[in-house]
Amino acid sequence: MKCKYLSCIALAALALALSGCASTAQQNGVNSDLYGPLGDDGSSLAYGTAFPVASPGEAYRNGEAALRAGDADRALFEYLRGLRMERRPQADPLYRVGIIHHGRGNNDLAQNAYRWALEIEPSHVGAGTALGVLLLQQRDYEGAERHLTPIANGRNSPWQAHNALGVIADIRGEHSLAGSHFEKALSASPGTPLVLNNLGYSRYLAGDLPGARQSLRAAVSANPNYELAWRNLGLVYAREGDHETAIEAVARNGDRAKAYNDIGYISMLEGRYQDAMGFFEEAMRLSPAYYITASENARNLDSLLRRNGGANRPN
């Protein structure tokens, strides 16, 4: 279940100051290598001939523009260049550096940047929220909750904090609490497909199939290409016994064999054994790639039927 939720932010790599910026940093008494561990040599080579900037603010504006343009390497270079020009470390650009590394999957560097930002400014909402989300992705649920709960209890709390706490509550089986967090996330950011999907899946786990269907349909309406939400919607239809619609939802990527195998597995868990066998057989017929998987599922199901004397549980 956990992998249904976890999703991320996005971006890139390093920087090293120009010689002009390095001299400015030295004049200001800053160790020019202080930020070295948050970078790499790649962007230093790529942007080593960039025009000098007159102030940290100019570097940060360049970084924001680079992020908007999708150039994470340049953004990281600019944020680190600005930091090197400061008299002392600044929380917000460190948070931005963390976001860039987080998006790249450089989780240790991201965590270092977030924690550094929080040492400077313990109430920095962005860094606290991002660190909580990162800890959730690393399955440190207690650590994530410790950072996120005070933020969620504050005024104008970001939707990401409530969304993450909702995921943690669902993992613990506290579906009512999870739903409350997801609703608060939607109040802060109406129509967000990620939150609608998470709310729908939470309701599915709680057995509220009509509510789950409503939220998941809203998610795919907001983002018709949201494959995970379509897949979760297929789970709902399968549990409701509408297998044809379930197949159509799960097979939107064109892999009908996988859809039949998956719906067969769900049907088996639901006790619809004859239906499940039919889905496994169709998966084997449609694709040799699924023959081994589906045939193994079919053998397991046949063994289960033999143990139960061929009985089928009520739907």
Side-chain angles (χ1 to χ4, degrees), residues 13-14 22 82 94 109-110 119 144 153 178 183 193 206 241 248 284 298 306 313:
L14 149 84
L94 282 166
L109 293 178
E119 286 178 9
N153 289 338
E183 293 287 2
E248 293 304 315
M284 289 186 281
R306 289 177 186 277
R313 265 182 11 196

Side-chain angles (χ1 to χ4, degrees), residues 224-245:
N225 297 317
Y226 197 171
E227 293 299 332
L228 179 57
W230 279 110
R231 183 173 180 78
N232 288 338
L233 186 58
L235 297 180
V236 174
Y237 284 127
R239 181 162 288 186
E240 290 178 325
D242 187 352
H243 296 125
E244 183 176 347
T245 306

Side-chain angles (χ1 to χ4, degrees), residues 69-253:
D71 188 347
D73 285 342
R74 179 60 183 264
L76 188 54
F77 171 83
E78 295 291 353
Y79 283 122
L80 290 174
R81 171 157 74 159
L83 281 164
R84 285 187 171 97
M85 297 177 70
E86 298 277 12
R87 291 185 177 275
R88 60 183 61 85
Q90 300 295 314
D92 200 62
L94 282 166
Y95 158 63
R96 307 288 173 182
V97 168
I99 288 291
I100 293 170
H101 282 304
H102 195 163
R104 270 291 171 88
N106 300 329
N107 291 338
D108 288 343
L109 293 178
Q111 187 168 161
N112 289 342
Y114 295 149
R115 290 190 184 279
W116 194 355
L118 289 169
E119 286 178 9
I120 298 165
E121 188 179 327
S123 61
H124 195 288
V125 171
T129 301
L131 178 57
V133 170
L134 177 57
L135 293 173
L136 167 60
Q137 292 166 343
Q138 295 176 329
R139 291 171 168 72
D140 180 359
Y141 305 126
E142 290 184 2
E145 194 171 36
R146 187 166 57 252
H147 284 281
L148 293 168
T149 299
I151 294 171
N153 289 338
R155 296 183 59 187
N156 301 319
S157 52
W159 67 266
Q160 293 93 336
H162 284 292
N163 180 68
L165 288 170
V167 171
I168 293 170
D170 263 336
I171 289 170
R172 293 173 173 167
E174 300 171 345
H175 303 309
S176 177
L177 176 60
S180 175
H181 278 299
F182 292 136
E183 293 287 2
K184 290 175 182 176
L186 287 171
S187 294
S189 182
T192 302
L194 171 64
V195 182
L196 288 167
N197 172 73
N198 289 351
L199 175 60
Y201 190 66
S202 179
R203 289 173 171 174
Y204 168 80
L205 293 173
D208 178 9
L209 299 185
R213 184 170 7 93
Q214 179 186 38
S215 296
L216 291 166
R217 290 196 65 84
V220 298
S221 293
N223 179 4
N225 297 317
Y226 197 171
E227 293 299 332
L228 179 57
W230 279 110
R231 183 173 180 78
N232 288 338
L233 186 58
L235 297 180
V236 174
Y237 284 127
R239 181 162 288 186
E240 290 178 325
D242 187 352
H243 296 125
E244 183 176 347
T245 306
I247 292 292
E248 293 304 315
V250 176
R252 279 181 56 83
N253 63 357

